Amino acid sequence: MGLAAGYDAELRRHDKALRRAAGVRPHDHVLDIGCGAGQTTRWAARAARAGSALGVDVSAPAIGRARELAREEGVRNVTFEHADAQLHPFAPGRFDLAISRFGTMFFDDAVAAFANIARALRPAGRLVMTVWQARERNEWDAAIRRSLEAAEGPAAGAAGGPDAFSLADPPTVRETLRAAGFAGVEFTDVHEPVYYGPDVAAALDWVRGFACTDAVLRRLDPAGATRAGERLRRMLAAHLSDDGVRFDSRAWIVTATTTEPHSPE
């Protein structure tokens, strides 16, 4: 699986839940945070047929691919910017809706980042995002970690770098969003599997590309990396079904609204 196709395939069931919650209207102007290759931005643009959609991401290659796909698919009311939503100087009050598919968990300063997003929304503008619930509720994370730890001991699976579960705790997220200028924060449980590929080889290639997996494998000597890879392969084989390699997962759809105009600081 290529990066864009793989990520979109992995989260296709989560996409359906996000679309329902977003409820993009024909005249909406939509901001897609951490848009990757732009699948969510393009469907938002199609729904906002008399409006527009802007996708932003910190990955220049992802933005380049997003632009290519939009051209290929003939989506005209969509644009993409290589930008960090934490700091980008969006026009105040430009958007009706901000969406994100697992693109908001890695902010360095979550309050400042969400405040920047709030300023980009009009009064009563909406935020709708999917984030992972706690790691212990996500089978995929637990299975990967157990495989790596079994290969080299607990240190191999130790957490490090960006935290994909930083927005898992509802009270913390509610406090963060309120401090950033949002109100009416609500959480909806999303219990859907993630898809890692049609067979074990594709799934192994996909999982080895995860930042957490790659970091561990890079720390190991060649023999240790081989053992870890074999552990991962056996674990993925245990999750292979007739329709591919799947893992249980739990996510939140978090919704909130802005209540007052936000001017640049």
Side-chain angles (χ1 to χ4, degrees):
M1 288 189 295
L3 180 59
Y7 196 59
D8 291 340
E10 176 187 347
L11 300 172
R12 58 191 177 194
R13 295 199 181 186
H14 297 78
D15 277 354
K16 294 180 180 178
L18 180 61
R19 291 188 195 197
R20 289 194 300 268
V24 178
R25 298 167 298 191
H27 289 83
D28 277 345
H29 296 283
V30 183
L31 170 63
D32 188 5
I33 305 154
C35 67
Q39 183 187 60
T40 47
T41 326
R42 295 193 304 279
W43 66 245
R46 291 187 180 99
R49 55 187 180 275
S52 67
L54 167 66
V56 298
D57 200 282
V58 295
S59 169
I63 289 297
R65 182 58 178 154
R67 289 169 176 158
E68 290 175 2
L69 290 170
R71 286 194 297 269
E72 290 172 7
E73 295 176 14
V75 185
R76 298 175 180 270
N77 61 332
V78 66
T79 55
F80 295 95
E81 292 188 26
H82 176 215
D84 186 345
Q86 301 178 90
L87 306 169
H88 188 70
F90 299 109
R94 175 181 174 185
F95 301 100
D96 303 287
L97 169 66
I99 62 172
S100 181
R101 183 185 67 179
F102 300 105
T104 56
M105 297 96 66
F106 307 112
F107 292 142
D108 295 326
D109 183 334
V111 172
F114 283 113
N116 193 46
I117 294 164
R119 285 190 289 271
L121 290 167
R122 63 170 177 77
R126 298 182 299 133
L127 171 68
V128 181
M129 61 183 180
T130 49
V131 300
W132 294 120
Q133 293 188 28
R135 65 171 67 251
E136 59 267 21
R137 304 200 78 191
N138 279 280
E139 181 186 38
W140 56 271
D141 180 79
I144 291 170
R145 285 174 173 271
R146 281 196 302 268
S147 296
L148 296 174
E149 289 174 0
E152 294 300 314
D163 182 9
F165 305 96
S166 66
L167 299 178
D169 180 56
T172 301
V173 174
R174 187 173 284 110
E175 181 179 348
T176 296
L177 290 177
R178 286 175 176 170
F182 288 94
V185 182
E186 297 182 358
F187 297 80
T188 302
D189 179 46
V190 179
H191 188 189
E192 294 285 359
V194 290
Y195 172 79
Y196 282 175
D199 52 42
V200 173
L204 180 59
D205 183 58
W206 182 240
V207 169
R208 287 175 69 96
F210 289 4
C212 58
T213 309
D214 182 65
V216 171
L217 294 177
R218 286 177 182 274
R219 292 201 301 267
L220 299 175
D221 60 32
T226 297
R227 289 194 296 272
E230 180 58 23
R231 291 272 187 177
L232 287 169
R233 188 196 65 76
R234 291 200 294 268
M235 176 271 292
L236 293 167
H239 286 82
L240 177 64
S241 64
D242 291 341
D243 59 350
V245 178
R246 296 182 182 275
F247 289 84
D248 191 41
S249 79
R250 298 300 280 265
W252 295 120
I253 286 182
V254 185
T255 59
T257 60
T258 57
T259 56
E260 296 179 0
H262 294 269
S263 57
E265 294 179 346

